[in-house]
Amino acid sequence: MALEDRSFARRRLLTSAAAAGGAALLGGTAHAAEPRKKAWPDRFPLPDGFQPEGIAIGSAPFAYFGSLANGAIYRASLATGRGSVISEGPGAGHPAVGLKIDRHGRLFVSGGVGGDLRVVDSRSGRTERTYAVGGAFVNDVILTPRAAWFTDSFAPRLYRLALDRHGRPGAVTDVPLGGDWQQGPDFTANGIERTPDGSALLVVNVFVGGGTLMRVDPRTGTATAVDLGGAVIPNGDGLLLLGRVLYVVQQQLNLIDVFRLNAAGTRGTAIARITDPRFRIPTTAAAWGDRLYLPNARFDVEPTPGTDYDAVAVPQV
């Protein structure tokens, strides 16, 4: 089986913006909740055959979705649900997996089996930079004031893309993962976020303990298991932190587990579980106003050019 096919098959098997109050190292800013017309759709279509995975929402009410099929980027208006492809992508074998957008309109894209990181101008759709890091599956990304951090699902390391004070990307370095981190036989790391106080990173490890949230020191790569009071996240995919509330999308379980974290991100308490009959294996989440928006990846079906996809919105906790 080809590596690309094996990677996506393994994802199916294992799976059977930004918060306020960030501090110095990894702090961030969040847009204020905006008024939302009642008519705004809570479900809207994505292009047939698109194979969505990641989602990003910036300072305007538009959602950006990445395609596993060819790395294309689709932009949809949250007000109308209508959208269009703004970037055709680099083609088959170079998917767009995780996505984040900064305040300058730059999209940071995880290249999956393409083994690269990309920076795309959300206005023109032009790819500004491509970094070939050789990763087997570059999965998800989170932005901090001085870096974009990417997970690799098949290797115990993170990629750190340095950002200058204007958010412009610089060099990429590897940060090996140690401490409590254990690498599974193949697919291991998934979603990534930061702690509420901005001092560390949070990374999903689907191998350790049947699914564990790890707190990672960005300086050393040392990982420590987060105490979630016995809760496990076997299908943990995208992470979204709003204040001290962490949303963990458990994709093939068709639910979102919600935890309240302490400031340092060393402990969390389960406070809610979000389910919805419209979920068809959602993978990642982004926030606007009082809603969460999620693409349905439909990993339980064999994708074809005619397979239908959509995005859904649910209320925040």
Side-chain angles (χ1 to χ4, degrees):
M1 181 182 290
L3 177 57
E4 181 177 3
D5 294 334
R6 182 171 68 105
S7 300
F8 292 134
R10 181 59 176 164
R11 287 176 67 80
R12 297 189 187 100
L13 176 63
L14 286 175
T15 58
S16 95
L25 178 60
L26 299 177
T29 59
H31 63 69
E34 298 286 344
R36 177 174 47 80
K37 296 179 181 179
K38 292 182 179 179
W40 285 22
D42 61 6
R43 183 177 190 174
F44 50 84
L46 301 176
D48 287 351
F50 190 74
Q51 299 181 46
E53 220 279 4
I55 181 174
I57 299 175
S59 58
F62 293 92
Y64 297 84
F65 301 89
S67 170
L68 295 178
N70 56 16
I73 306 294
Y74 180 84
R75 179 175 59 203
S77 165
L78 300 181
T80 66
R82 294 190 294 270
S84 61
V85 173
I86 64 165
S87 175
E88 296 294 337
H94 294 277
V97 190
L99 291 179
K100 288 294 183 293
I101 188 169
D102 70 7
R103 62 188 178 89
H104 305 287
R106 298 185 188 95
L107 283 163
F108 293 79
V109 183
S110 304
V113 294
D116 58 26
L117 327 173
R118 300 192 293 275
V119 183
V120 177
D121 185 330
S122 66
R123 300 175 183 86
S124 67
R126 181 176 64 88
T127 299
E128 296 182 339
R129 298 285 297 270
T130 298
Y131 299 84
V133 296
F137 195 93
V138 184
N139 192 324
D140 206 356
V141 55
I142 187 65
L143 298 179
T144 68
R146 300 310 297 268
W149 293 85
F150 299 78
T151 59
D152 189 328
S153 294
F154 288 87
R157 64 187 172 210
L158 302 176
Y159 303 107
R160 182 186 186 275
L161 172 58
L163 305 176
D164 69 14
R165 63 189 182 92
H166 301 291
R168 291 180 296 234
V172 176
T173 54
D174 290 4
V175 178
L177 294 170
D180 291 344
W181 190 269
Q182 297 177 44
Q183 187 69 23
D186 44 35
F187 195 98
T188 302
N190 207 325
I192 185 169
E193 249 294 356
R194 61 171 192 84
T195 59
D197 67 1
S199 64
L201 298 162
L202 299 169
V203 181
V204 173
N205 184 311
V206 299
F207 174 71
V208 172
T212 300
L213 186 66
M214 294 284 183
R215 182 184 187 276
V216 177
D217 184 329
R219 297 182 181 89
T220 65
T222 301
T224 306
V226 177
D227 179 3
L228 295 180
V232 294
I233 49 174
N235 299 113
D237 196 334
L239 302 177
L240 176 64
L241 184 73
L242 299 176
R244 291 194 182 184
V245 176
L246 180 70
Y247 296 87
V248 181
V249 183
Q250 295 231 54
Q251 38 150 293
Q252 204 148 19
L253 294 179
N254 283 315
L255 58 85
I256 306 168
D257 277 331
V258 189
F259 300 90
R260 187 176 302 280
L261 303 180
N262 65 347
T266 58
R267 298 188 309 277
T269 302
I271 59 172
R273 172 168 283 182
I274 301 172
T275 61
D276 194 288
R278 300 168 302 156
F279 284 170
R280 299 189 293 173
I281 310 187
T283 45
T284 49
W288 181 267
D290 59 359
R291 287 178 167 186
L292 304 178
Y293 289 84
L294 306 96
N296 277 318
R298 305 197 66 193
F299 287 150
D300 57 340
V301 301
E302 189 65 30
T304 72
T307 302
D308 69 288
Y309 294 96
D310 63 358
V312 297
V314 295
Q316 295 178 26
V317 171

